[in-house]
Amino acid sequence: MTRRWPVVLVGPMGAGKTTVARLLADEWGVPVRDTDHDVESLEGRSVADIFVDSGEAHFRELERQAVAAALADHEGVLALGGGAVLDESTRALLADHHVVFLRVGLSDAVKRVGLGSSRPLLLGNVRSRIKTLLDERSAIYESVATLVVDTDGRTPGDVAGEIGKALGERA
């Protein structure tokens, strides 16, 4: 299979997008990029601080812009924030790329994120919020994916290996 760059990883928090993206980029010898990090660099503050100080709508606009820019010029592995696919224009842009949905179940997501999480969407009952987000977003992740990889009970290396086999070892 001929790989189109970027290869994009989507999924909820706790799926392992950033970690798996780094492993794939190292394996393929290409750059790695994370749109949450792009937003933080642009704003000079954390995603959590943007949510608290400027609101979710402001963050989502910054995120939409960061994803569009990365999809236009990044030639490597790209990890999107968990809510990036909620934007219709982002979903349309993803249609021309290999998009891998890293699917994670509630139990594994909670273990990976932790109950003392500083993630802004998890204020309150972390387990309940993660379940709600999984329920609300899983169909959207699947709708943009060209490949779905289950991550429960697996190491990031195993997940990256499956993606590598499915997409071919090198562009």
Side-chain angles (χ1 to χ4, degrees):
M1 171 183 283
T2 302
R3 189 170 306 116
R4 296 179 307 267
W5 299 111
V7 170
V8 184
L9 304 184
V10 300
M13 61 187 79
K17 298 178 299 288
T18 301
T19 302
V20 172
R22 283 188 194 116
L23 291 172
L24 287 171
D26 288 347
E27 179 68 27
W28 292 334
V30 297
V32 64
R33 192 162 167 182
D34 182 308
T35 57
D36 278 350
H37 296 155
D38 289 353
V39 170
E40 289 176 336
S41 293
L42 177 70
E43 285 286 294
R45 53 191 174 144
S46 71
V47 169
D49 286 344
I50 296 168
F51 263 76
V52 170
D53 297 339
S54 302
E56 183 175 0
H58 179 70
F59 170 76
R60 294 294 175 207
E61 177 57 25
L62 295 171
E63 179 180 57
R64 185 192 61 72
Q65 293 171 16
V67 171
L71 289 172
D73 67 19
H74 183 65
E75 294 193 358
V77 184
L78 178 63
L80 300 190
V85 298
L86 299 176
D87 182 80
E88 189 174 322
S89 65
T90 294
R91 291 193 304 271
L93 292 174
L94 290 172
D96 294 330
H97 299 283
H98 288 301
V99 180
V100 181
F101 167 28
L102 300 184
R103 182 168 37 210
V104 63
L106 178 60
S107 181
D108 278 33
V110 170
K111 285 180 204 167
R112 293 174 189 169
V113 170
L115 294 176
S117 177
S118 64
R119 297 175 189 241
L121 289 178
L122 297 184
L123 296 177
N125 182 329
V126 173
R127 185 176 184 82
S128 174
R129 287 296 299 143
I130 290 175
K131 181 181 182 337
T132 299
L133 292 171
L134 290 174
D135 291 347
E136 291 173 350
R137 297 178 178 179
S138 289
I140 297 171
Y141 295 131
E142 287 191 35
S143 75
V144 299
T146 55
L147 175 66
V148 178
V149 177
D150 289 309
T151 66
D152 284 355
R154 301 176 72 193
T155 67
D158 290 341
V159 172
E162 181 177 336
I163 296 167
K165 284 182 184 176
L167 297 183
E169 293 304 317
R170 186 128 175 108

